[in-house]
Amino acid sequence: MARDLSFRVAVLFSFLFLGFINFVCCNNGRRVADALETDFSGLSVPLEHSFELDDTAKFLVRGTLLLKTGREPSVALSQNPLSEEDRVKLKEVAEVDGLYRIRVPRVSLQADRQTEWTVDGYLTAFVRACAMVESHLSDVITLHTDVSGYLIGVSIVTIPGACRGTKVEDEVDLEVFNTTLSIMAPVNAPGPETALFLERMEQETEKKGKNPQEQKSFFAKYWYLILGGAIFLMVSNSAQPPAGGGREQS
Amino acid sequence: MAKLILLLLNWIFLCCNVAAVFEDQVGKFDWRQQYVGKVRFSHFDTQMQSSKKVLLASESNVFAALNTRTGELFWRHVDKTGPEGNIDALLQHGQDAVLVIGNGHFLRSWDISVGGLNWEMVLDSGSFRSACLVGHQGAVKHLAVLKKTVISLHYLSNGHQKWVENLPESETVDFQVVYSGGNGEVYALGVVPNSHLAIVVYSLEDGEITKQVSVEAPWLSSIPASCSVISRGLLTCVDSTTMSFYTLDLHLQLEMTQIPLQTLGLDVDPGFHPSLVSHQPNPAHPPLSEFLLQLGPEHHLLLQHNDGQIVTLRDYKPALLASFATTGEKTVVAVMAPKNKTACSINLFSAETGRRLLETTLIFTVDPNGGKPEKLHVQAFLKKDDSVGYRVMVQTEDHALTFIQQPGRVMWTREEALSDVVTMEMVDLPLTGAQAELEGEFGKKAAIQDGLMSMVMKRLSSQLIMLQAWIAHLWKLFYDARKPRSQVKNDVSIENLSRDEFNLQKMMVMVTASGKLFGIDSKTGNILWKHYLEDIPLNAAFKLMVQRTTAHFPHPPQCTLLIKDKDTGLATLHVFNPIFGRRSQVTPPALPQPILQSLLLPLMDQDYAKVLLLVDDQYKVSAFPSTKNVLQQLQETASSIFFYVADSGQGRLSGYRLRTDLSTEQVWEVVIPTETQKIVSIKGKRSNEHVHSQGRVMGDRSVLYKYLNPNLLAVVTESTDLHQERSFIGILLIDGVTGRIIHEAVQRKARGPVHVVHSENWVVYEYWSTKSRRNEFSVIELYEGMDLYNSTVFSSLDRPHAPQVLQQSYIFPSSISTMEATLTEKGITSRHLLVGLPSGGILSLPKMFLDPRRPEVITEQSREENLIPYAPELIIRTEWFINYNQTVSRVRGIYTAPSGLESTCLVVAYGLDIYHTRVYPSKQFDVLKDDYDYMLISSVLFALFFATMISKRLAEVKLLNRAWR
């Protein structure tokens, strides 16, 4: 629970600080796709994955990414459940600590009304297959774009991310992907905050101007303390007992 | 406002944790060495017999005067780097030295006695060809500068232009040489390659063309390469294709006279381009009729022109170098001949007769770890008996200058290669002999072989040795204590090198661009060993790695230098012992394939050498050392060895994983389109960095955990569009194992050069803001949040949550040259950034000022946390300069190394100069002060001790007395 909360905090934080990031949650890919088909004019590119026992890359289509181009890009994903065969293979790969890789083609989201894309290389990422299995296919895929809206990287993590060696018995858990998908554009790094600093300084001087108390001199402010101290000193001086006397008694 | 000042004062008191150097500490913990660079021109000050000055103009655009007795600098002028400050020519006359700078853009005259500027003239544009001093009637008052299209004459006294004339037919004729023989005429010699020679004669008085001739010379392509003016205006050329001399009297003849070399019985070495050297001792007089001819790499001749005839005066074979020198009326030729493998002999010959002068032999020992002699600079002088004496300055291929006096005493050596340090490492010194003895005694092998008795004996003997060493040490301390500090000499030689108590003294291994390696004692700056690597390609990239430290006695420490040709990618390895500089017995593997990436793994072989992996362009991996043990370890850990390869040309960053058969597989790929931005630098973290605290304690006593990913890479990109509105800088934080982009930010309206420091959980970068036209610093810090995901171990494969990213920027009032962070043993000490400024200062900037959590509005919590309120400007405070007045010219890099004391970090700044010092970012909390009063504290202790003794005694007596009463 605590972890969940912290994640939410992190998300909130990134919303506050990172500017424009769009999260599109698609727990059930098919439904989202249906809903989007009506008003979605963008780019559809395949999301491919590969998991092989000998760790060679054989990419097969996992789903389709619908990328909305324009100033504020967004993304949706429609994907098919894993077949029986794939589920078995994924579990096998997980047992030998193989990799689960994904790839997306390099495309630009800024191109005007581009519906076709040309293969210009791919962006790849991976997680350990066991993490994929143990998280019951709950993965977080993030697409990163550069300033001009070109896809530059993809990342995949599973939640939880660790491989603890727990067996997943129920085949049903490995059927449907539970994917959280987001697309991230670079954040504008802040410059030096001169305006705010100046404002604050002005406020301070204003405050000082308004508050005449602060204008008073040191003596004017603390005269009573000084007087008190002086009196105390005088009193303590006069009240000192006569020196000597008690020594001889011991 | 007053409050603000108070606030400022407050911070200053808060953060005043840089200890400035006290006056008496100057030079105690630090040293500086100043260099000139590879010498291009040199002139001895021959004006006075007693003068001990040599002028040097270097390829690093430095003009300096050296003391010939000690080799120290009298003065030095450092000009701009690059072609703007390039020194084209150095002319010396009397007390004036005239430099032509920046392809003939400036003319500067320096007073050589004090190094002050006499005058400076800006010349018209046009590429520089040649310059010479012009004398007339025995006095030298002018100098001529020849450019591509114009020739100009200037007064030597004030630089003013006397006249400037266009060169005729300068579109076709390439004028290359200007010459004056002291007869009131200035000759401009030009050539139309493989066609003819053009000679234009100007009158000294008004620049009028008095004569203009064109002479057939179909064999000639470059005048300075094959011709020289000798005698009274006789242009002499040598040509290797026709094997002939060609002479032309500039005053009279219109056609060249051909003299075949065979008629003189001379033969050019095959494939060698012969060259001529003439000598003009005084610009007001014509050159000598004697000249030097080089016919082969080891073949020189002294020839004389006599009544249209060329006569051989002397044949020097073998002779490496030959050079003229003049003193008074006498001109001599110094010739260096190889004697044996390790020595060369230099002899003087009379230039007029070619006869050898008696008792002028000088032996020059060739350093086996140095380069071959390249240039001979001779300083001749007249002895009391009117015979000629001389000293020579030999310049070798490794940019070293050696000054030698007869009969072979080396007066000084300057290693000018150190003006161009490329990379360096600091290596711990080995244990002393006694300590090593003790180590050896308890070695495993010894215990098995020997019995009990012999072990006891060994023990006793080693204890005895240690006792002896200790007594010797005490004696030395006692002996030195009686002498004033300045007289105590710390002679460090390679034999008595040993680690000190706090490991403050280390061996600095420096790699220079010329291919010469140096081992320098960090305490004194003495060069303890040097090693010149020949056949280093011109554009080599170097990477120095410490494979085995000194900690593994009896195995010697081992460093590996990877030398890679940037064009072909082919690499070689040089394996050596960093303490002695000797090449190691281990034979490095041959690398036939271009190398893409090298990585030093934390794995060690059975001899404690770290494993170096080299990835070639077929993505095959080879290991060095590649013993069975290593290969087995690699197989076991292959699945956890990841590496990345960056191709900035294609903007491609790809990650690979090692397979058990030492092949690799690509696991991730990030491609940054090169149309909009290009990768300029990638910075990982230093492998020897320790982070002591995992988090930061906040004002409310909760902990904010740092995101300490050791695999994090900071990738900096610059936009290809340099327009000031559209240019930007991109910062990508990428996990090097998974390829996950942790953070991506752009700094808009910014431009490079970007300097980056990446350490702990932060990245600091500096850039030029094109919008505000100023330098700005920006800091990114990464935090995991209030609780850690996995506090025991960090794995890039298992960190699903992205870290929180905080960023803040500041204005910096100066541009910077380089930047590095301090490094300490355990990472407890606070960090500082060491910033090298173009002004030559090295600033120690507390990281505390670059903290994105600096609040804009001060709250109770931020005060609790000791955060400094945000101010947009970082102020440079003068006490932050760690090098006080020891300016370090052209800082290119700063190297930091931890010492054995947690508080102390060793710093080396290198560029044209080398500067070493220690810094204490959190003050010297673990060291007593330098002026700690041991006497006082011990006397107080003793006094207290005795006081207690006495009072105890008194109390006893009193008690006894009372008992008796």
Side-chain angles (χ1 to χ4, degrees), chain A residues 204-219:
Chain A
E204 244 156 54
T205 44
E206 251 174 51
K207 213 194 278 171
K208 225 171 270 168
K210 267 183 205 163
N211 200 347
Q213 196 116 51
E214 301 217 347
Q215 301 283 18
K216 282 184 183 173
S217 73
F218 180 75
F219 283 105

Side-chain angles (χ1 to χ4, degrees), chain B residues 259-313:
Chain B
I259 308 169
L261 287 174
Q262 269 169 348
T263 57
L264 300 167
L266 301 177
D267 202 13
V268 181
D269 283 14
F272 189 81
H273 187 82
S275 61
L276 285 172
V277 180
S278 68
H279 185 57
Q280 188 174 11
N282 187 345
H285 299 294
L288 300 178
S289 56
E290 291 82 20
F291 61 97
L292 283 167
L293 172 68
Q294 190 179 7
L295 289 177
E298 292 203 353
H299 191 190
H300 290 261
L301 286 153
L302 178 66
L303 301 172
Q304 189 182 39
H305 184 263
N306 205 348
D307 299 333
Q309 294 287 315
I310 289 177
V311 199
T312 307
L313 289 180

Side-chain angles (χ1 to χ4, degrees), chain B residues 237 244 288 292 351 385 501 602 612 625 671 690 881 948:
Chain B
C237 301
S244 300
L288 300 178
L292 283 167
D385 58 350
E501 276 166 308
L612 175 68
V671 188
H690 294 274
F881 285 104
T948 32

